[in-house]
Each structure stands twice: as C-alpha cells, then as structure tokens.
Amino acid sequence: MTGALAPTKPLTVADRCDRCGAQAYVRAVLVGGGDLLFCAHHGRKYAEALRSNGADIQDETDRLTETPAAAPDEER
C-alpha cells in the first residue's frame, strides 16, 4: 500500500467479484478512491494492469488454501 489510503476491511463471503459474481478474494483500491472486487481468477488477470495505474491491491487469495481449525468436540 502507498500509506496514503486507510486500511481496508477484510473481505467477507458477501463480497462478490465485479466481473463474474464469485466470492471476492481481491480488492483493488483505485487512485480516485473507489474499489473493485475480484475472485482469485479475475484478480490475477487484472492485478498487474491495475497496479500499473496506481491501484493498491488487497490480495486474500491465501485464504483459499487455509485449513479450517478443528472444532472442539461437543459435550454429550
């Protein structure tokens, strides 16, 4: 990030890709202040062009490979 923009909130399941509607894992914060949301596929496709135009990229695609924490056993 450039430091000029406020940190962005983590993406949630409700955030959808602006290109295809899949769950968003990438946020591009544009120089003008708006943002675009992308799935992992479209995030990879557009990230370089967005960066070259000054956008800051928030990439949370590492969440796709996380292993969920084991739930504690329920008492019986």
Side-chain angles (χ1 to χ4, degrees), residues 49-68:
L50 289 162
R51 269 192 201 100
S52 68
N53 284 298
D56 287 317
I57 306 297
Q58 174 188 350
D59 186 343
E60 297 182 12
T61 56
D62 57 330
R63 291 178 32 218
L64 291 167
T65 57
E66 287 179 354
T67 304

Side-chain angles (χ1 to χ4, degrees), residues 1-2 4-9 11 26-38 50-51 53-59:
M1 270 176 61
T2 63
L5 300 172
T8 54
K9 296 179 186 175
L11 295 165
V26 178
R27 174 183 280 126
V29 181
L30 306 175
V31 175
D35 65 355
L36 296 170
L37 302 178
F38 296 109
L50 289 162
R51 269 192 201 100
N53 284 298
D56 287 317
I57 306 297
Q58 174 188 350
D59 186 343

